[in-house]
Amino acid sequence: MQLYNTLSAEERKELIDLAGKQRLTLSFYAYAKIEDPKKFRDDLFLAWNALDALGRIYVAHEGINAQMSVPAENFEAFRETLEVYDFMRGIRLNVAVEQDDHSFLKLTIKVRHKIVADGLNDETFDVTNKGVHLNAKAFNEILEDPNTIVVDFRNHYESEVGHFKGAITPDVETFRESLPIINEQLKDFKEDKNLVMYCTGGIRCEKASAYFKHQGFKNVFQLEGGIINYAKQIKEEGLESKFIGKNFVFDNRLGERITEDIISQCHQCGKPCDNHTNCANDGCHLLFIQCDECKAAMENCCSTECLEITHLPLAEQVKLRSGKQVGNKVFRKGKSEALKFKKSGELPDAPIATVKPVKDIRQKIKVKKVILGKAQHYYVKAQVGLFQIENNELNVGDKILISGPTTGNEELVVEKMFVNGTEANQAKQGDKVTFALPFRVRLSDKLFKIIS
């Protein structure tokens, strides 16, 4: 039985591109009593792996918390794998507002002590005594009540790019930090105020609402299905969006747009921007907001120090980051002193810029492409990229796409190229090709030919 991934993220990305089929990004959660989380985990892996479902899932004795990517053609079959379990029959699946075939590139199901790290002792209060669930219409209405206090139970890097108007946005790095802070801040309003809370998909509020009722708050409400479900409902029902900006998501997209408002700035130059990225220096991986101009100038790095490190030989880079733990510090490092325009805590409700509206994802014409090969090297001074052609042919005049986790998606037309060291008009399988590039490429980058 295969109970683990056998493909790397890059290999999986290549297979997804070659398949050319639409995938749906979705999330769901359920609190339930699971006697054997390990067996539950293994059974899910076998069922979902067979459907080419990918994602990041946590299971525990208390339930399941999942963010996933599923082939659209397998959506109903995926739902059937959930219906096998009584506690997931009819479960709400929060389908993302914006879709990206690369939102998840591995199927990772982990057994944890809890499905959300809340730091609470569940034995000390009734976790089933939750707040009143509100749909989008009711949520909008209660926000108009002057007796309402609305609280964002997400973290600083999430609320910075988007939040509900008038919300308290705690300056915290983890969910567990926000609970005692809010309890202390609102201790004088337990009897007479409406405590209204929201988060990304609703799971954090499920536990938080019960916790605050236990703390003595009389009128506790929560946004059903979180921001994801709210965005879906306001679109379907033609309601005003009280949420402004982007909804931060924990997959490769790092965000999905809810309104055209931009309320945050590039952390490096201060230009209106709400696009998160991770520093290209593997010894840093700092999560920060970076505009396209700074991305080009800084080569996706958060500081000149990191930029210089990425230009060192790989062996020296590995030596510099040896012994450092990076992964678990990505988000809390978002308050680095290198980021001059970072904001957290009390945030503005007024947008500082707007973006042009985009067509619905279903109206977009999918770019058809075929993979040619992958990057081998980038000559910084000459600004020339070297690629190995592994499939098909490349000709002068072809429109190409270079894609990678750090590079992003860059399109251009090949005007001149050298094949195996000699100028030529065509390259075939097995050839090494060089041509000028106005941006840096990396070993993880793939080369595609756009055919429509």
Side-chain angles (χ1 to χ4, degrees):
M1 279 193 309
Q2 180 191 330
L3 296 172
Y4 54 88
N5 289 281
T6 58
L7 298 175
S8 69
E10 287 305 315
E11 289 172 327
R12 180 73 69 177
K13 182 185 293 186
E14 185 174 324
L15 287 178
I16 290 173
D17 288 335
L18 290 174
K21 297 180 179 180
Q22 182 188 12
R23 299 182 68 90
L24 299 176
T25 301
L26 55 91
S27 61
F28 64 92
Y29 68 88
Y31 280 99
K33 187 176 182 180
I34 299 175
E35 296 291 345
D36 189 346
K38 174 63 168 60
K39 183 180 184 303
F40 179 61
R41 178 263 175 211
D42 292 349
D43 290 344
L44 290 180
F45 192 99
L46 290 172
W48 291 346
N49 191 51
L51 297 175
D52 193 26
L54 307 172
R56 185 187 304 111
I57 302 95
Y58 300 128
V59 298
H61 284 292
E62 68 173 2
I64 181 171
N65 179 16
Q67 296 85 41
M68 303 189 66
S69 167
V70 179
E73 64 182 15
N74 292 343
F75 182 73
E76 291 306 320
F78 173 77
R79 187 187 291 276
E80 289 176 5
T81 67
L82 305 180
E83 298 286 334
V84 170
Y85 304 93
D86 290 341
F87 72 90
M88 288 197 287
R89 286 180 184 167
I91 192 171
R92 180 185 59 248
L93 301 179
N94 278 337
V95 178
V97 177
E98 298 177 345
Q99 298 298 334
D100 184 333
D101 291 345
H102 297 158
S103 58
F104 290 99
L105 297 172
K106 289 187 178 182
L107 177 58
T108 304
I109 310 178
K110 295 184 178 181
V111 176
R112 291 282 180 87
H113 176 62
K114 286 192 172 187
I115 55 176
V116 175
D118 52 38
L120 298 175
N121 181 357
D122 296 353
E123 303 299 323
T124 61
F125 65 101
D126 183 1
V127 296
T128 66
N129 185 24
K130 299 175 289 189
V132 177
H133 286 66
L134 302 175
N135 60 22
K137 184 174 184 296
F139 193 82
N140 278 1
E141 290 174 352
I142 202 169
L143 293 187
E144 296 296 330
D145 187 340
N147 204 43
T148 290
I149 298 175
V150 59
V151 181
D152 190 326
F153 275 94
R154 301 173 304 150
N155 306 321
H156 67 84
Y157 50 87
E158 299 174 82
S159 56
E160 184 179 11
V161 294
H163 54 259
F164 279 96
K165 297 175 182 178
I168 295 173
T169 51
D171 188 9
V172 296
E173 297 166 354
T174 63
F175 171 53
R176 70 174 66 190
E177 290 179 63
S178 64
L179 298 176
I181 291 175
I182 293 301
N183 191 37
E184 174 63 24
Q185 191 171 343
L186 302 181
K187 63 182 180 181
D188 296 330
F189 304 103
K190 293 183 178 183
E191 298 284 340
D192 57 344
K193 295 290 186 180
N194 297 322
L195 175 58
V196 180
M197 57 186 67
Y198 69 89
C199 56
T200 306
I203 188 170
R204 284 176 267 193
C205 293
E206 287 290 294
K207 189 72 69 72
S209 65
Y211 168 78
F212 281 103
K213 290 187 73 173
H214 174 70
Q215 292 297 318
F217 288 85
K218 301 301 182 184
N219 307 305
V220 180
F221 303 84
Q222 63 191 88
L223 178 59
E224 182 178 14
I227 301 165
I228 297 174
N229 195 44
Y230 177 86
K232 177 183 177 183
Q233 289 183 347
I234 62 171
K235 183 177 180 181
E236 292 176 345
E237 300 175 26
L239 303 173
E240 175 191 358
S241 177
K242 300 289 187 179
F243 185 96
I244 53 174
K246 261 186 176 180
N247 179 30
F248 185 95
V249 292
F250 292 87
D251 58 54
N252 293 333
R253 296 172 300 152
L254 293 179
E256 52 185 18
R257 185 159 296 287
I258 307 301
T259 71
E260 299 170 16
D261 304 299
I262 298 176
I263 63 172
S264 53
Q265 299 171 280
C266 170
H267 286 165
Q268 293 177 316
C269 71
K271 176 182 176 181
C273 178
D274 54 11
N275 295 325
H276 275 103
T277 189
N278 285 112
C279 180
N281 174 16
D282 287 335
C284 177
H285 277 180
L286 173 70
L287 179 77
F288 68 110
I289 297 173
Q290 188 178 49
C291 68
D292 290 341
E293 288 79 3
C294 288
K295 184 183 180 75
M298 298 296 294
E299 298 181 25
N300 222 138
C301 292
C302 69
S303 63
T304 54
E305 178 184 3
C306 282
L307 178 60
E308 291 171 358
I309 290 174
T310 61
H311 288 183
L312 295 174
L314 182 59
E316 290 189 37
Q317 293 186 45
V318 172
K319 186 177 180 180
L320 283 173
R321 64 176 181 265
S322 178
K324 293 183 179 179
Q325 291 187 2
V326 177
N328 293 331
K329 298 180 180 179
V330 170
F331 300 117
R332 62 175 53 99
K333 284 169 57 181
K335 295 185 178 180
S336 166
E337 293 182 0
L339 307 178
K340 297 181 179 179
F341 294 91
K342 167 71 185 174
K343 290 184 174 63
S344 59
E346 188 174 341
L347 299 171
D349 286 339
I352 57 175
T354 58
V355 294
K356 295 180 180 179
V358 296
K359 292 182 179 180
D360 185 271
I361 187 72
R362 287 173 290 277
Q363 297 176 345
K364 292 182 180 179
I365 300 176
K366 187 175 180 65
V367 175
K368 293 184 178 180
K369 57 187 182 295
V370 294
I371 190 164
L372 297 177
K374 57 187 178 182
Q376 297 286 306
H377 190 65
Y378 182 70
Y379 301 93
V380 179
K381 291 185 178 180
Q383 291 190 309
V384 168
L386 170 64
F387 296 84
Q388 175 80 41
I389 303 298
E390 299 175 344
N391 299 286
N392 302 296
E393 297 177 350
L394 175 65
N395 298 281
V396 169
D398 284 345
K399 188 175 183 180
I400 61 171
L401 167 70
I402 298 172
S403 178
T406 299
T407 305
N409 295 309
E410 299 284 354
E411 296 182 12
L412 72 156
V413 175
V414 178
E415 298 179 350
K416 179 180 180 181
M417 66 180 178
F418 288 82
V419 179
N420 300 322
T422 303
E423 186 173 350
N425 292 323
Q426 185 181 74
K428 298 182 178 180
Q429 185 175 351
D431 289 339
K432 290 190 174 182
V433 181
T434 55
F435 48 83
L437 289 174
F439 52 86
R440 181 176 180 170
V441 295
R442 295 160 178 82
L443 293 179
S444 59
D445 291 352
K446 302 294 183 183
L447 174 65
F448 298 89
K449 177 160 61 176
I450 297 176
I451 56 177
S452 70

